[in-house]
Structure formats: structure tokens, C-alpha cells
Amino acid sequence: MTVLVPTSHELGSDRGRVWGQLRRNKLGVIGGVMLLVVLVAGIAAPLIAPYGPAEVHFDAPFQLPGTIGYLLGTDDLGRDILSRTVYGIRVSLVVGVLSVVLAVVVGTPLGLIAGYWRWLDAIVSRLTDVMLAFPFLIIAVALAAISGPSLGNAVVALGIAQIPTMIRVVRGETMRIRSTDFVLSARTMDATGLRVIFAHVLPNCVSAIIVQATVIMPVAVIGEALLSFLGLGIQPPTASLGIMLSDAQQYLSNAPFAAVVPGLAIAVICLGFNLVGDALRDALDPTSRERT
């Protein structure tokens, strides 16, 4: 029995179809532009920020946005909000990326073996249920009690919280792909289970993993802000959007802009990833080939 392998021309045309779908999705383009702005702000924070994120100006507290030298104003200690925001965006992106990496590295292989080998499915499913029983706040509190609040603990807590979802997504895709003709053909030719997984199943799960990663990112960004807000994540003097919101809450009546700016930054990051994630899901959907 012959296993049909797509040619380079077919793969290239498929990539062209996906790229064309993305370009035609206006909301996806808007989300991409938002993410590009956020990424540039985070990566180029030292070049954009006029001051250090922890630099205080006791003679200039609560300067209004538009004040000369303080484009977005200052907080209660005279720290420049623009500088703290771009550095806070950098921290949020770092936590989001590391959380996604942790969820993918741990969740993908567990989802693959659970979906391919039925006898392992029950074990992995019970492990997933146990992990779902512990919200990330409980994990964060436990880690903070053991080693103190830190960026690393925030990454671990948020990553562990997203592993069960990644397992379920990959498991579902694996079970679907496992019954396809090309996998059955490979198994008929005495291909080992690991070979089938890495050569056939995993490449066809990549699109689902990418889409799920775009879903995890905004959840991780909000989670990092929440942990920092509660004092369980990033610690001062490091700039964090959650810490900025925590510091500004007691001055909402006098200086609402101190909370609005970091809040808008979080909203832009999450909206950008959600729009791009929706666009990727539509573009990578095999049925979209019939609509083009």
C-alpha cells in the first residue's frame, strides 16, 4: 500500500492559501498591527522610555498626560507612566511567552500519547483532572509560600494552569488524525507508534497548537497582572502592569489616568492576540479551502 505524501508545490500552495486568508481577514490584520505595536514597545522599551521604570521625581507627582517631559503623566511618586508601561509590557510578554512554552512542552507530548494509545488515555485524563482541581491562584500562593513571589513563580503557576487545556486540545486532534487513511496506511506498513506520532500526527497537530497558544497568551497576560496586583507575582521596583494598577487604585479619584494607561495596555495585548488567534483558526481550518 502506498502512502501519499504532499509535494512541495502542494505545501507551498497551502501556505499561500493560509497567508491569503489572513490578509483578507480585516480583524486579523488589525490584531496583527496591535501586536506589532506591542512587540515593538516591549522590545525597544529602553529606547522608547524617557526615564528608568523605577526613577522617581518627588517634585512632580501626578503630572497630567501631555505635560512637558511626561507624555502620559506621572504617578504618586513622580515615576513616568510611559516608561513604566513599556517596561510593564515587556514583562507581560515575557511571562506570556514562557507560560506558553511551558504549556506546549508539557501538554503536547501528554496529549499525543493520550490520544494515540488508548490504554494511557485514562492515566493522562486523571492527571489532567487533578491539575484542573487546583486553580492557578492556589498554585501561585503555594509557590510564593515556598520560595517567595517572583516572575519565575508566576510563569510556573500560569503555565501549569494551561497544561490541561493544551492536553485536551492535542488529545482531541490526535484521536481525529489517528483514524485518517494516511495514519492507517503507515500503521499497516508496520511503522512504530513513535514514528507515526512524530512523522504524521504531530505535524498535523501544529495548527491546533498554534491557535491554542494564541489563546493562552492573553490569559497569561491577565493572570500575570492579577498576580502582581495581589502581590504574588512581580515585585517592586520591577515595573509591571499589575503593580501599576495596584498602586493607582487608591488614587482613582485624583489621577484616574494612572490606572487607565496600564489597563489599556493590557486590553490592547489581549485583544490583539484574540483577533490574531481567531484569524489563524479560520485560516488553518481545512474546510476554508472549500470557501476560497
Side-chain angles (χ1 to χ4, degrees), residues 251-273:
Y251 305 108
L252 286 177
S253 58
N254 299 328
F257 56 86
V260 170
V261 174
L264 284 176
I266 295 173
V268 169
I269 296 173
C270 295
L271 181 59
F273 275 108

Side-chain angles (χ1 to χ4, degrees), residues 65-95:
T67 303
I68 297 177
Y70 306 105
L71 182 61
L72 297 181
T74 62
D75 61 9
D76 58 311
L77 297 178
R79 295 173 295 190
D80 182 58
I81 293 178
L82 172 60
S83 301
R84 290 179 62 77
T85 300
V86 293
Y87 275 97
I89 289 174
R90 168 183 279 193
V91 169
S92 295
L93 293 177
V94 169
V95 171

